[in-house]
Amino acid sequence: MDVTPFDAAQADHDTVADWHRVHAAAAAVDDPDHPHVPAAALAARLAAPPPQTRALHWLARDGDEPVGTATLSLSDRENLGWGFAEVVVHPAHRRRGHGRALLAAVREGLTAAGRGTLVYDVGADSAGAAFAAAAGARHAQTLWESELELARAADELPEEREPAGYRAVRWSGAAPDELVASYVAAAEAMADSPDGGLGYQVAPGSVAHTREVEQWWARRGCQLRTVAAVHEGSGAVAGLTVVAVPLLHPQLAYQEDTAVVPAHRGHGLGLWLKARMVRWLVADGMVVRRIRTTTDPANTHMLDINARLGFHRTRVREQWVG
């Protein structure tokens, strides 16, 4: 078996096709309810790491057969001692040492970058969790993954009551210039979300970084949809919710940030914003059929909002550190 590093931005068609074969086969076993991700969408993700992040990639082949992949993501903006690992082995080739060989390459990359902490995202009680434990990692955070079926939610949404003193503004893609500064400030409210003891440090936001992130989502082939609550008295963003819609496979959208500025909490803005987002997606003809979100179990307020909207838990994910 050969483990070969490659530059995702310069990867040839055969390398991308082999990467897709491994991930498609693994997803069919590990996440069977997830819609099929086209090769073009996976290629766009592969070639577009987040802003101020380096991504190192390896492809494992047994002869001509692709058997596994690995990615090491290294943020140059926050958590500078960490690396984030993703190791995926084709189900037909598991338990043959391919994962260990890929992890060894990842660890070499981590050491070469001068970092010492590796973070794994895995399914609870899965082969991935067992793999992380065997590699000497420890469990750091549990995340509940939930989904909302829009067809059912359309008939069950709570009655819309606009909170006094606020108005809703929505947009696709980049935030409006007149709101972007207060939008960035409002998004900082995510910093007090529980992380189960993982210890993730979030760097302060900025308009420049937000613009980079918006462009990154577009390069990945995703449309960002945002609904914001604007405080009438100040004209500032008081809360927001963001959903990412993969344009090449839009059936399943992903919940990104939902945040309410502390001074504006207690007015029901979180539920109101998320309900408006659902109504927006439903009004677009049900191109998006489901929304997936992950929530720390300690975030009981958000879990209550999600339950009132009709989200149901689908599985449990974990963060391991080692």
Side-chain angles (χ1 to χ4, degrees), residues 124-203:
D125 300 320
S126 69
F131 178 76
R138 62 174 177 83
H139 174 266
Q141 183 183 22
T142 296
L143 292 168
W144 288 354
E145 186 175 274
S146 304
E147 290 187 5
L148 178 68
E149 298 282 350
L150 292 185
R152 295 179 56 186
D155 299 324
E156 300 175 3
L157 285 174
E159 180 182 349
E160 183 169 3
R161 295 180 180 177
E162 186 165 296
Y166 299 90
R167 60 185 171 89
V169 179
R170 72 185 197 189
W171 62 82
S172 297
D177 289 340
E178 65 273 17
L179 290 177
V180 65
S182 66
Y183 169 80
V184 170
E188 298 286 282
M190 286 291 295
D192 64 6
S193 297
D195 72 355
L198 181 63
Y200 191 95
Q201 299 296 312
V202 181

Coordinates of all heavy atoms in Angstrom, one line a residue, residues 124-203:
A124 N -20.2 8.6 17.5 CA -20.2 7.9 18.8 C -20.3 6.4 18.6 O -21.1 6.0 17.7 CB -21.3 8.5 19.7
D125 N -19.6 5.7 19.4 CA -19.7 4.2 19.3 C -19.5 3.7 17.9 O -20.0 2.6 17.5 CB -21.0 3.7 19.8 CG -21.3 4.1 21.3 OD1 -20.3 4.1 22.1 OD2 -22.4 4.5 21.6
S126 N -18.6 4.3 17.1 CA -18.3 4.0 15.8 C -16.9 3.4 15.6 O -16.1 3.5 16.6 CB -18.5 5.2 14.8 OG -17.5 6.1 15.1
A127 N -16.6 2.9 14.4 CA -15.3 2.5 14.1 C -14.3 3.7 14.3 O -13.2 3.5 14.7 CB -15.2 1.9 12.7
G128 N -14.8 4.9 14.0 CA -14.0 6.1 14.1 C -13.6 6.4 15.5 O -12.5 6.8 15.8
A129 N -14.6 6.2 16.4 CA -14.3 6.4 17.8 C -13.3 5.4 18.4 O -12.4 5.8 19.1 CB -15.6 6.4 18.6
A130 N -13.5 4.2 18.0 CA -12.6 3.1 18.4 C -11.2 3.4 17.9 O -10.2 3.2 18.6 CB -13.1 1.8 17.9
F131 N -11.1 3.9 16.6 CA -9.8 4.2 16.0 C -9.1 5.3 16.8 O -7.9 5.3 17.1 CB -10.1 4.6 14.6 CG -8.9 5.0 13.8 CD1 -8.0 4.1 13.3 CD2 -8.6 6.4 13.5 CE1 -6.8 4.5 12.6 CE2 -7.5 6.8 12.8 CZ -6.6 5.8 12.4
A132 N -9.9 6.4 17.1 CA -9.3 7.5 17.9 C -8.8 7.0 19.2 O -7.7 7.4 19.7 CB -10.3 8.6 18.0
A133 N -9.6 6.2 19.9 CA -9.2 5.7 21.2 C -7.9 4.9 21.1 O -7.0 5.0 21.9 CB -10.3 4.9 21.9
A134 N -7.9 4.0 20.1 CA -6.7 3.2 19.9 C -5.4 4.0 19.6 O -4.3 3.6 19.9 CB -6.9 2.2 18.8
A135 N -5.7 5.2 19.0 CA -4.5 6.1 18.7 C -4.1 6.9 19.9 O -3.2 7.7 19.8 CB -4.9 7.0 17.5
G136 N -4.8 6.7 21.0 CA -4.4 7.4 22.2 C -5.1 8.7 22.5 O -4.7 9.5 23.4
A137 N -6.1 9.0 21.7 CA -6.9 10.2 21.9 C -7.9 10.0 23.1 O -8.2 8.9 23.5 CB -7.6 10.6 20.7
R138 N -8.4 11.1 23.6 CA -9.4 11.1 24.7 C -10.7 11.8 24.2 O -10.6 12.8 23.4 CB -8.9 11.8 25.9 CG -8.6 13.2 25.8 CD -8.2 13.9 27.1 NE -7.8 15.3 26.9 CZ -8.7 16.3 26.7 NH1 -10.0 16.0 26.8 NH2 -8.3 17.5 26.5
H139 N -11.8 11.3 24.7 CA -13.1 12.0 24.4 C -13.1 13.4 25.0 O -12.8 13.5 26.2 CB -14.2 11.1 24.9 CG -15.6 11.8 24.7 ND1 -16.2 12.5 25.7 CD2 -16.4 11.8 23.6 CE1 -17.3 13.0 25.3 NE2 -17.5 12.6 24.0
A140 N -13.5 14.4 24.2 CA -13.5 15.8 24.7 C -14.9 16.4 24.7 O -15.2 17.2 25.5 CB -12.5 16.6 24.0
Q141 N -15.7 16.1 23.7 CA -17.0 16.7 23.5 C -18.0 15.8 22.8 O -17.6 15.0 21.9 CB -16.9 18.0 22.7 CG -18.2 18.8 22.5 CD -18.1 20.0 21.7 OE1 -17.2 20.2 20.9 NE2 -19.0 21.0 21.9
T142 N -19.2 15.9 23.2 CA -20.3 15.1 22.6 C -21.2 16.2 21.9 O -21.4 17.3 22.4 CB -21.2 14.4 23.6 OG1 -20.4 13.4 24.2 CG2 -22.4 13.8 23.0
L143 N -21.7 15.8 20.7 CA -22.5 16.7 19.9 C -23.7 15.9 19.4 O -23.5 14.8 18.9 CB -21.8 17.3 18.7 CG -20.7 18.3 19.0 CD1 -19.8 18.5 17.7 CD2 -21.2 19.6 19.5
W144 N -24.9 16.4 19.6 CA -26.1 15.7 19.1 C -26.4 16.3 17.8 O -26.6 17.5 17.5 CB -27.3 16.0 20.1 CG -27.2 15.3 21.4 CD1 -26.3 14.4 21.8 CD2 -28.1 15.5 22.5 NE1 -26.5 14.0 23.0 CE2 -27.6 14.6 23.5 CE3 -29.2 16.3 22.8 CZ2 -28.2 14.5 24.8 CZ3 -29.8 16.2 24.0 CH2 -29.3 15.3 25.0
E145 N -26.5 15.4 16.8 CA -26.9 15.7 15.4 C -28.3 15.5 15.2 O -28.9 14.5 15.6 CB -26.1 14.9 14.5 CG -26.2 15.3 13.0 CD -25.3 14.5 12.1 OE1 -24.1 14.9 11.9 OE2 -25.8 13.4 11.6
S146 N -29.0 16.5 14.7 CA -30.4 16.5 14.5 C -30.8 17.0 13.1 O -30.0 17.7 12.5 CB -31.2 17.4 15.5 OG -30.8 17.0 16.8
E147 N -32.0 16.6 12.6 CA -32.4 17.0 11.3 C -33.9 17.5 11.4 O -34.7 17.0 12.2 CB -32.3 15.9 10.3 CG -30.8 15.6 9.9 CD -30.7 14.6 8.8 OE1 -31.7 14.2 8.2 OE2 -29.6 14.2 8.5
L148 N -34.2 18.4 10.5 CA -35.6 18.9 10.4 C -36.1 18.5 9.0 O -35.4 18.9 8.0 CB -35.6 20.4 10.6 CG -37.0 21.1 10.4 CD1 -37.9 20.6 11.5 CD2 -36.8 22.6 10.4
E149 N -37.2 17.8 8.9 CA -37.8 17.6 7.6 C -38.7 18.7 7.3 O -39.7 19.0 7.9 CB -38.7 16.3 7.7 CG -37.9 15.0 8.0 CD -37.2 14.5 6.8 OE1 -37.4 14.9 5.7 OE2 -36.3 13.6 7.0
L150 N -38.4 19.5 6.2 CA -39.1 20.7 5.9 C -40.5 20.4 5.5 O -41.4 21.3 5.8 CB -38.4 21.5 4.8 CG -37.0 22.1 5.1 CD1 -36.5 22.9 4.0 CD2 -37.1 22.9 6.4
A151 N -40.8 19.3 4.9 CA -42.2 19.0 4.5 C -43.1 18.9 5.7 O -44.3 19.4 5.7 CB -42.3 17.7 3.7
R152 N -42.6 18.3 6.8 CA -43.4 18.2 8.0 C -43.4 19.6 8.8 O -44.4 20.0 9.3 CB -42.8 17.1 8.9 CG -42.9 15.7 8.3 CD -42.3 14.7 9.2 NE -42.9 14.7 10.6 CZ -42.5 14.0 11.6 NH1 -41.5 13.2 11.4 NH2 -43.1 14.1 12.8
A153 N -42.2 20.2 8.8 CA -42.1 21.5 9.6 C -43.1 22.5 9.1 O -43.5 23.4 9.8 CB -40.7 22.0 9.5
A154 N -43.3 22.5 7.7 CA -44.1 23.6 7.2 C -45.5 23.7 7.8 O -46.1 24.8 7.9 CB -44.3 23.4 5.6
D155 N -46.0 22.5 8.2 CA -47.4 22.5 8.8 C -47.3 22.6 10.4 O -48.4 22.7 11.0 CB -48.1 21.2 8.4 CG -48.3 21.1 6.9 OD1 -48.5 22.1 6.3 OD2 -48.2 20.0 6.4
E156 N -46.1 22.6 11.0 CA -46.1 22.5 12.4 C -45.3 23.6 13.0 O -45.1 23.6 14.3 CB -45.4 21.2 12.8 CG -46.2 19.9 12.3 CD -45.4 18.6 12.6 OE1 -44.3 18.7 13.3 OE2 -45.9 17.6 12.2
L157 N -44.9 24.6 12.2 CA -44.1 25.7 12.8 C -45.0 26.5 13.8 O -46.2 26.7 13.6 CB -43.7 26.7 11.7 CG -42.5 26.2 10.8 CD1 -42.3 27.2 9.7 CD2 -41.3 26.1 11.6
P158 N -44.3 27.0 14.9 CA -45.1 27.9 15.8 C -45.6 29.1 15.1 O -45.0 29.6 14.2 CB -44.0 28.2 16.9 CG -42.7 28.0 16.2 CD -42.9 26.9 15.2
E159 N -46.6 29.7 15.7 CA -47.2 30.9 15.1 C -46.2 32.0 15.1 O -45.4 32.2 16.1 CB -48.4 31.3 15.9 CG -49.1 32.6 15.4 CD -50.3 33.0 16.3 OE1 -50.7 32.2 17.1 OE2 -50.8 34.1 16.1
E160 N -46.1 32.7 14.0 CA -45.0 33.8 13.9 C -45.5 35.0 14.6 O -46.6 35.6 14.3 CB -44.7 34.1 12.4 CG -43.6 35.1 12.3 CD -43.1 35.3 10.9 OE1 -43.7 34.6 10.0 OE2 -42.2 36.1 10.7
R161 N -44.7 35.5 15.6 CA -45.0 36.7 16.3 C -43.7 37.5 16.3 O -42.7 37.2 17.0 CB -45.4 36.4 17.8 CG -46.8 35.6 17.9 CD -47.1 35.4 19.3 NE -48.4 34.6 19.4 CZ -48.9 34.2 20.5 NH1 -48.3 34.4 21.7 NH2 -50.1 33.6 20.6
E162 N -43.8 38.6 15.6 CA -42.6 39.5 15.5 C -42.3 40.1 16.8 O -43.1 40.9 17.4 CB -42.8 40.5 14.4 CG -41.6 41.3 14.1 CD -41.7 42.1 12.8 OE1 -41.8 41.4 11.7 OE2 -41.7 43.3 12.8
P163 N -41.1 39.9 17.4 CA -40.8 40.6 18.7 C -40.8 42.1 18.5 O -40.3 42.7 17.6 CB -39.4 40.1 19.0 CG -39.2 38.8 18.2 CD -40.0 39.0 17.0
A164 N -41.4 42.8 19.5 CA -41.5 44.2 19.5 C -40.2 44.9 19.4 O -39.3 44.5 20.2 CB -42.3 44.7 20.7
G165 N -40.0 45.8 18.5 CA -38.7 46.5 18.5 C -37.7 46.0 17.6 O -36.6 46.5 17.5
Y166 N -38.1 44.9 16.8 CA -37.1 44.2 15.9 C -37.8 44.0 14.6 O -39.0 43.8 14.5 CB -36.7 42.9 16.5 CG -36.0 43.0 17.8 CD1 -36.7 42.9 19.0 CD2 -34.6 43.2 17.9 CE1 -36.1 43.1 20.2 CE2 -34.0 43.3 19.1 CZ -34.7 43.2 20.3 OH -34.1 43.4 21.5
R167 N -36.9 44.0 13.5 CA -37.4 43.6 12.2 C -36.5 42.6 11.6 O -35.3 42.6 12.0 CB -37.5 44.8 11.3 CG -36.2 45.6 11.1 CD -36.4 46.8 10.2 NE -35.2 47.6 10.2 CZ -34.2 47.5 9.3 NH1 -34.3 46.6 8.3 NH2 -33.1 48.3 9.3
A168 N -37.0 41.8 10.8 CA -36.2 40.7 10.1 C -35.6 41.2 8.8 O -36.3 41.9 8.0 CB -37.0 39.4 9.9
V169 N -34.4 40.9 8.5 CA -33.7 41.2 7.3 C -33.1 39.9 6.8 O -32.5 39.2 7.6 CB -32.6 42.3 7.4 CG1 -32.0 42.5 6.0 CG2 -33.2 43.6 7.9
R170 N -33.2 39.5 5.5 CA -32.6 38.3 5.1 C -31.8 38.6 3.8 O -32.1 39.5 3.1 CB -33.7 37.2 4.8 CG -34.5 37.5 3.6 CD -35.7 36.5 3.5 NE -36.2 36.4 2.1 CZ -37.3 35.8 1.8 NH1 -38.0 35.1 2.7 NH2 -37.8 35.8 0.5
W171 N -30.8 37.7 3.6 CA -30.0 37.8 2.4 C -29.4 36.5 2.0 O -29.2 35.6 2.9 CB -28.9 38.9 2.5 CG -27.9 38.7 3.6 CD1 -26.8 37.9 3.5 CD2 -27.9 39.2 4.9 NE1 -26.1 37.9 4.7 CE2 -26.8 38.7 5.6 CE3 -28.8 40.1 5.6 CZ2 -26.5 39.1 6.9 CZ3 -28.5 40.4 6.9 CH2 -27.3 39.9 7.6
S172 N -29.0 36.3 0.7 CA -28.2 35.2 0.3 C -26.8 35.7 -0.1 O -26.7 36.8 -0.7 CB -28.9 34.6 -1.0 OG -30.2 34.1 -0.7
G173 N -25.8 34.9 0.3 CA -24.5 35.3 0.0 C -23.9 36.3 1.0 O -24.0 36.1 2.2
A174 N -23.3 37.4 0.5 CA -22.6 38.3 1.4 C -23.6 39.2 2.1 O -24.7 39.6 1.6 CB -21.7 39.2 0.5
A175 N -23.2 39.6 3.4 CA -24.0 40.5 4.2 C -24.0 41.9 3.6 O -23.0 42.3 3.0 CB -23.4 40.5 5.6
P176 N -25.1 42.6 3.7 CA -25.2 44.0 3.1 C -24.1 44.8 3.8 O -23.9 44.7 5.0 CB -26.6 44.4 3.5 CG -27.4 43.2 3.7 CD -26.4 42.2 4.3
D177 N -23.5 45.7 3.0 CA -22.5 46.6 3.5 C -22.9 47.4 4.8 O -22.2 47.6 5.7 CB -22.0 47.6 2.4 CG -21.2 46.9 1.3 OD1 -20.7 45.8 1.6 OD2 -21.1 47.5 0.2
E178 N -24.2 47.8 4.8 CA -24.7 48.7 5.9 C -24.9 47.9 7.2 O -25.0 48.5 8.2 CB -26.0 49.4 5.5 CG -27.2 48.5 5.2 CD -27.3 47.9 3.8 OE1 -26.3 48.0 3.1 OE2 -28.4 47.5 3.5
L179 N -24.9 46.5 7.1 CA -25.1 45.7 8.3 C -23.9 44.9 8.6 O -23.9 44.3 9.7 CB -26.3 44.8 8.0 CG -27.7 45.4 8.0 CD1 -28.8 44.4 7.7 CD2 -28.0 46.1 9.3
V180 N -22.9 44.8 7.8 CA -21.9 43.8 8.0 C -21.1 44.0 9.3 O -20.8 43.0 10.0 CB -20.9 43.7 6.8 CG1 -20.1 45.0 6.6 CG2 -20.0 42.5 6.9
A181 N -20.8 45.3 9.7 CA -20.1 45.5 10.9 C -20.8 45.0 12.1 O -20.3 44.3 13.0 CB -19.7 47.0 11.1
S182 N -22.1 45.3 12.2 CA -22.9 44.9 13.4 C -23.2 43.4 13.3 O -23.4 42.7 14.3 CB -24.2 45.7 13.5 OG -25.1 45.5 12.5
Y183 N -23.2 42.8 12.1 CA -23.4 41.4 11.9 C -22.2 40.7 12.5 O -22.3 39.7 13.2 CB -23.6 41.1 10.4 CG -23.5 39.6 10.1 CD1 -24.5 38.8 10.3 CD2 -22.3 39.1 9.6 CE1 -24.4 37.4 10.0 CE2 -22.2 37.7 9.3 CZ -23.3 36.9 9.5 OH -23.2 35.6 9.2
V184 N -21.0 41.2 12.2 CA -19.8 40.6 12.7 C -19.8 40.6 14.3 O -19.5 39.6 14.9 CB -18.5 41.3 12.2 CG1 -17.3 40.8 12.9 CG2 -18.4 41.0 10.7
A185 N -20.2 41.8 14.8 CA -20.3 41.9 16.3 C -21.3 40.9 16.9 O -21.1 40.3 17.9 CB -20.6 43.3 16.6
A186 N -22.4 40.8 16.2 CA -23.5 39.9 16.7 C -23.0 38.4 16.7 O -23.3 37.6 17.6 CB -24.8 40.0 15.9
A187 N -22.3 38.1 15.6 CA -21.8 36.7 15.5 C -20.8 36.3 16.7 O -20.6 35.1 17.0 CB -21.1 36.5 14.2
E188 N -20.2 37.3 17.3 CA -19.3 37.1 18.4 C -20.1 36.4 19.6 O -19.4 35.8 20.5 CB -18.7 38.4 18.9 CG -17.8 39.1 17.8 CD -16.5 38.3 17.7 OE1 -15.6 38.5 18.5 OE2 -16.3 37.6 16.7
A189 N -21.4 36.5 19.6 CA -22.2 35.9 20.7 C -22.1 34.4 20.7 O -22.4 33.8 21.7 CB -23.6 36.4 20.6
M190 N -21.6 33.8 19.6 CA -21.4 32.4 19.5 C -20.3 32.0 20.5 O -20.2 30.8 20.9 CB -21.0 31.9 18.1 CG -22.1 31.9 17.1 SD -23.3 30.6 17.5 CE -22.3 29.1 17.2
A191 N -19.4 32.9 20.9 CA -18.2 32.5 21.7 C -18.6 31.9 23.1 O -17.8 31.2 23.7 CB -17.4 33.8 21.9
D192 N -19.8 32.2 23.6 CA -20.2 31.6 24.9 C -21.0 30.3 24.7 O -21.5 29.8 25.7 CB -21.0 32.6 25.7 CG -22.3 33.0 25.1 OD1 -22.7 32.5 24.1 OD2 -23.0 33.9 25.7
S193 N -21.0 29.7 23.5 CA -21.7 28.4 23.4 C -20.8 27.4 24.1 O -19.6 27.4 24.0 CB -21.8 28.1 21.9 OG -22.6 29.0 21.2
P194 N -21.5 26.4 24.7 CA -20.7 25.3 25.4 C -19.9 24.5 24.4 O -20.4 24.2 23.3 CB -21.8 24.5 26.1 CG -23.1 24.9 25.4 CD -22.9 26.2 24.9
D195 N -18.7 24.0 24.8 CA -18.0 23.2 23.9 C -17.6 21.9 24.6 O -16.7 21.2 24.2 CB -16.7 23.9 23.4 CG -15.6 24.1 24.4 OD1 -15.9 23.8 25.6 OD2 -14.6 24.6 24.1
G196 N -18.2 21.6 25.8 CA -18.0 20.3 26.4 C -16.6 20.1 27.0 O -16.2 19.0 27.4
G197 N -15.8 21.2 27.1 CA -14.5 21.1 27.7 C -13.4 21.0 26.6 O -12.3 20.8 26.9
L198 N -13.8 21.0 25.3 CA -12.8 20.9 24.2 C -11.8 22.0 24.3 O -10.6 21.7 24.1 CB -13.6 21.0 22.9 CG -12.7 20.8 21.6 CD1 -12.1 19.4 21.6 CD2 -13.6 21.0 20.4
G199 N -12.2 23.2 24.7 CA -11.2 24.3 24.9 C -10.9 25.0 23.6 O -9.9 25.7 23.5
Y200 N -11.8 25.0 22.6 CA -11.6 25.7 21.3 C -11.6 27.2 21.6 O -12.5 27.7 22.2 CB -12.7 25.3 20.4 CG -12.5 25.7 18.9 CD1 -11.9 24.9 18.0 CD2 -12.8 27.0 18.5 CE1 -11.7 25.3 16.7 CE2 -12.6 27.4 17.2 CZ -12.0 26.5 16.3 OH -11.8 26.9 15.0
Q201 N -10.6 27.8 21.1 CA -10.5 29.3 21.2 C -10.9 29.9 19.9 O -10.2 29.7 18.9 CB -9.1 29.7 21.6 CG -8.6 29.1 23.0 CD -9.4 29.6 24.1 OE1 -9.7 30.8 24.2 NE2 -9.9 28.7 25.0
V202 N -11.9 30.8 19.9 CA -12.3 31.5 18.7 C -11.6 32.9 18.6 O -11.7 33.7 19.5 CB -13.8 31.7 18.8 CG1 -14.3 32.4 17.5 CG2 -14.5 30.4 18.9
A203 N -11.0 33.1 17.5 CA -10.4 34.4 17.2 C -11.4 35.5 17.0 O -12.5 35.2 16.5 CB -9.5 34.3 16.0

